[in-house]
Structure formats: C-alpha cells, structure tokens
C-alpha cells in the first residue's frame, strides 16, 4: 500500500512522550497487574444524580436535535448568571459560547486570535495541550518559567521580560494543571496591567476554579474585562469529563469569531449534555453540595499525598488548587521519563513524567483517587526507593 502523505501541520504536532508510559500501563493491566492509576486528569467521582436525571429528561423529551452553534439560550443565560454570581464578571448571553469541552473553547479562541508567528506567553510548567494548540494554529509559544521552590508562583517581571512586538496573548491557568498553583490577585493585577500597556489579550483557563484550598480564586477578567477571554467548563468541577461541555465568554467580536469557527467544524456541543450542564448551573444548592463534598475529599487526599511523598524524600510542594502534585523524582532517576518508567514497572503506579509539561526532573501525580489507593501507592513507591 502506498503511504498517504500527511499535512505539514500534523507532521509538526509533537507526539506525547507520556504515550509510552500510558501504553505500558495498559499493557501491564491487560497482563493482570494491578496498576494504580495516578496519571489521569479527571475526578474519580460519578456525575451527580441530579445532573444525570436532567440528561435523562432531555432525552425522553426529544431534545436530541442540533442546537444553536453557540449553545442553547437557557444555558448561555445560566453561564452568564454563574459568571456574575461566582466570578463578578458581567456578560450578556451573546457574549458566551458553549463548546465541546474546555479544550475546544481554548482551541477556538487561539484560532480566532492568532496569525502566523504571533506569540503566546505561557507560564511553565503548563498543561501539555497549550503549546501544541498554539503551534497548530500557526502561533509560537513562549515559556515563562516558574520554580517548584517558589510553589510555581508566577513572577510578573518574568512575564514582562518575555513580551516582544510579536506577543499577542498571555495564557493563564489558575488553578493550574500540572502545578496546582493559584495566582494571587496582585500577580493577576500586574499581568493585567502588562496586557493593557502592551495591548495584549488575556486568555484565562479557569477549569479548576472550584478546586481551591487555602487560596482565593480571582478571575483576571474582573481586572481587564475589555481584553480577557475566560474559559471554563463542566468537566472538572461537576465530574462531567465525558459529557464534553466547556464554555467561553469575552469581548463580543472574539466570541463571534469563535462561533464562526465552531459553525464550520463541530456545529454545537451535544444537546443532551447542554441540558445536563444547565441543571448543574441552575440547581445551585445540589451542585454546591456536590462540589464542597468533593473539595473536602480532595483536600484530605492532597494533604496525605504531599506529606507522604515528602516523607519518602521526593520533594513535593503543597499546591493550593486542582488535584495534582508535582514530585521531584530525581532521587529515583535524574531523567523523569526513566523515573516514571521505574515507578510504573517496579512500583506499579502510573504517573505522568514532566517532560511534556516543561517540568524536568518531576512527575505529576493526580490525587483524584481514593485515600486507600493513595496510601497503597505511597507504600509501593516507598518500596521502590528502599530497593534502590
Ligand atoms: C488546564 C486544563 N484546561 C482544559 C482542560 C480540558 O477540559 P475538557 O475536558 O473540558 O476539554 C483540561 C483537562 O485536562 C485541563 O487540565
């Protein structure tokens, strides 16, 4: 068979170095080995019952057709109300767009904003998809480093130093994946001031906003509403990763452009999932009860895993948000890919090497898993360290 040539865009996509670890974990599982998964970025909780019931109702009522490209009006109104209630952001429903997951919202926004060679400043360690998405639409990612020793705090002076005449966007993710860092108001204010001074767009991914422990979540859009696109979604907060509901809100012309992109690609997010998300956002008490229960569980797990890893000699800062920790695995091996491989093969715990996050010497562990499994994982990693 002749080889079919692929586009230069696709050929430029960086294959994920985590694939090797993930495929090895699957292989081990298939062979009957009980691998503890601490690599996935999703809540271990089931979607709350009231949300599932709303989806079942939507199905039985035949709400199964195309929806408007930007989402059903009821949901956009509920999202605008959520932004007002929880974030102090004011949007008309037309300034909101519903997407197939937060990922699509970020992609559409970058597609709408970037021309070839435009630069996007991204604090590192970052979520793996950001630089790839930026490159995919012709832009150029520019990393601004943060350090584990400082709890991955963002230094606005480092952001300022990274600005060039080609900078177009500053991409913020607080609480952050993989670091769990939550940016304080004064840092966000300084970054917003920079954006204003240099006429830049702020793209803020707030997917983990409800998972904040001892810090305050501040939406940077409150500090520079005229230039901020705020991304959020149902995946992490309401344990709805598989439903694929994300959303964005911001200046009307950008949202209109994002709608135009969506109209020629995916058309609309799943109708049934939109009705489910509407329930999540409007049955405020039931949803808040779920979120606060999940948050309490995550906090206990975070404390357990941070103290456990540090006690084993793997330096791990205490994150303020999200459900990930970054552990220094250099005592296992200087190369985080090799460390992750040993943790998988010898301790039977699946973790993600920091390679793709721009976090050398570290691995990411997700604590969206039960306390007994966290304890067992710590025991196994302890065994690996002792056996070295
Ligand atoms: C920082 C961040 N943004 C966006 C997403 C994507 O969310 P969704 O599943 O809604 O596309 C993720 C998922 O892992 C994430 O970690």
């Amino acid at each position: 068979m002749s080889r079919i040539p692929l586009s230069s865009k696709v050929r430029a996509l960086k294959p994920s170095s985590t694939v090797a670890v993930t495929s090895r974990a699957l292989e081990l599982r298939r062979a009957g080995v009980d691998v503890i998964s601490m690599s996935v970025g999703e809540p271990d909780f089931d979607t709350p019952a009231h949300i599932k019931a709303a989806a079942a109702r939507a199905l039985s009522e035949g709400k199964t057709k195309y929806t408007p490209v930007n989402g059903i009006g009821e949901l956009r109104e509920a999202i605008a109300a959520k932004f007002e209630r929880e974030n102090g952001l004011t949007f008309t429903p037309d300034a909101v767009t519903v997407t197939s997951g937060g990922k699509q919202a970020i992609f559409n926004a970058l597609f709408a904003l970037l021309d070839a060679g435009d630069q996007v400043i991204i604090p590192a360690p970052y979520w793996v998809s950001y630089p790839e998405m930026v490159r995919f639409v012709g832009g150029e990612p520019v990393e601004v480093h943060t350090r584990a020793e400082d709890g991955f705090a963002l230094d606005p002076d480092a952001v300022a130093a990274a600005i060039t005449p080609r900078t177009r966007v500053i991409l913020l993710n607080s609480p952050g994946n993989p670091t769990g860092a939550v940016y304080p108001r004064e840092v966000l204010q300084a970054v917003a001031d920079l954006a204003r001074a240099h006429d830049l767009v702020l793209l803020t991914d707030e997917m983990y906003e409800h998972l904040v422990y001892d810090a305050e979540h501040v939406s940077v859009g409150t500090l520079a509403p005229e230039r901020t696109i705020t991304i959020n979604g149902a995946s992490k907060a309401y344990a709805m990763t598989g439903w694929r509901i994300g959303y964005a809100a911001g200046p009307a012309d950008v949202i209109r452009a994002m709608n135009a992109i969506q109209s020629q690609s995916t058309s609309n997010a799943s109708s049934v999932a939109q009705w489910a998300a509407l329930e999540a956002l409007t049955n405020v008490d039931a949803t808040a009860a779920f979120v606060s229960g999940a948050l309490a569980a995550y906090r206990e797990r975070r404390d357990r895993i941070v103290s456990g890893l540090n006690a084993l000699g793997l330096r791990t800062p205490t994150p303020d948000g999200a459900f990930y920790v970054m552990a220094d695995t250099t005592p296992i091996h200087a190369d985080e890919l090799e460390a992750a491989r040993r943790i998988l093969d010898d301790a039977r715990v699946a973790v993600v090497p920091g390679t793709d996050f721009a976090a050398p010497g570290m691995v990411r562990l997700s604590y969206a898993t039960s306390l007994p499994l966290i304890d067992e994982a710590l025991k196994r990693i302890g065994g690996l360290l002792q056996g070295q």
Side-chain angles (χ1 to χ4, degrees):
M1 215 174 76
S2 67
R3 269 189 67 217
I4 297 178
L6 300 175
S7 70
S8 51
K9 271 214 162 89
V10 165
R11 278 186 278 121
L13 267 185
K14 201 171 81 189
S16 163
S17 64
T18 62
V19 168
V21 179
T22 314
S23 349
R24 179 83 186 123
L26 284 174
E27 211 176 280
L28 287 173
R29 271 217 195 90
R30 240 180 273 125
V33 179
D34 75 323
V35 173
I36 299 175
S37 173
M38 305 196 88
S39 55
V40 289
E42 66 181 347
D44 56 327
F45 300 106
D46 194 7
T47 303
H50 64 288
I51 299 174
K52 291 207 267 188
R57 262 195 321 276
L59 266 181
S60 66
E61 288 167 6
K63 291 172 169 159
T64 55
K65 310 287 198 216
Y66 290 130
T67 75
V69 165
N70 56 354
I72 55 175
E74 291 89 334
L75 180 54
R76 283 181 292 111
E77 272 169 30
I79 292 167
K82 170 256 177 297
F83 276 131
E84 189 83 58
R85 183 176 70 239
E86 296 185 344
N87 307 93
L89 294 165
T90 305
F91 297 111
T92 62
D94 276 354
V96 172
T97 186
V98 180
T99 54
S100 299
K103 206 172 211 170
Q104 194 195 11
I106 301 162
F107 188 87
N108 287 353
L110 291 169
F111 202 165
L113 292 168
L114 299 183
D115 272 322
D118 285 348
Q119 292 179 335
V120 178
I121 291 178
I122 307 176
Y126 41 65
W127 182 43
V128 282
S129 294
Y130 295 145
E132 288 311 306
M133 284 188 195
V134 167
R135 274 192 280 263
F136 200 68
V137 301
E140 193 185 306
V142 175
E143 289 174 21
V144 168
H145 289 279
T146 65
R147 297 164 358 127
E149 301 87 283
D150 309 328
F152 302 105
L154 181 63
D155 175 5
D157 290 339
V159 176
I163 295 173
T164 75
R166 289 197 285 140
T167 309
R168 191 75 220 288
V169 176
I170 302 175
L171 208 170
L172 298 171
N173 174 215
S174 173
N177 173 8
T179 63
V182 177
Y183 299 152
R185 182 180 294 277
E186 55 280 12
V187 167
L188 292 172
Q189 183 65 63
V191 174
D193 291 346
L194 283 172
R196 205 166 266 143
H198 296 270
D199 197 18
L200 307 177
V201 174
L202 294 167
L203 183 58
T204 170
D205 174 352
E206 303 183 5
M207 293 294 292
Y208 294 93
E209 75 161 322
H210 289 110
L211 306 182
V212 170
Y213 306 103
D214 309 308
E216 178 201 14
H217 171 73
V218 176
S219 287
V220 70
T222 56
L223 308 173
E226 78 290 354
R227 60 187 62 252
T228 301
I229 299 154
T230 304
I231 309 283
N232 211 319
S235 300
K236 315 288 175 173
Y238 316 134
M240 291 178 71
T241 44
W243 299 74
R244 311 307 304 134
I245 293 292
Y247 50 86
D253 41 354
V254 180
I255 299 297
R256 259 197 306 278
M258 291 171 65
N259 291 339
I261 293 162
Q262 183 150 294
S263 76
Q264 301 294 13
S265 53
T266 55
S267 290
N268 59 259
S270 150
S271 60
V272 172
Q274 289 189 55
W275 289 101
L278 175 63
E279 172 72 13
L281 290 173
T282 51
N283 192 342
V284 175
D285 291 344
T287 301
F290 169 79
V291 170
S292 65
L295 186 63
Y298 288 133
R299 178 194 291 276
E300 201 181 352
R301 297 162 176 190
R302 175 198 65 159
D303 293 346
R304 186 77 62 93
I305 196 164
V306 168
S307 60
L309 289 167
N310 280 307
L312 292 176
L314 303 180
R315 266 185 310 130
T316 305
T318 303
D320 282 329
F323 45 57
Y324 308 102
V325 291
M326 294 293 284
D328 172 2
T329 43
T330 50
I332 296 174
H333 197 280
D335 174 7
E336 68 283 353
L337 266 177
E338 177 58 17
R341 193 197 60 72
R342 287 194 192 171
I343 294 171
L344 178 59
D345 275 351
D346 302 343
R348 288 163 291 123
V349 179
V351 301
V352 184
T355 322
D356 288 344
F357 303 123
M362 288 179 256
V363 305
R364 187 194 76 177
L365 299 96
S366 160
Y367 53 89
T369 192
S370 69
L371 276 178
L373 281 176
I374 289 172
D375 288 340
E376 176 61 23
L378 288 167
K379 207 166 95 194
R380 291 182 185 186
I381 296 171
L384 162 68
L385 282 156
Q386 261 168 16
Q388 286 203 124

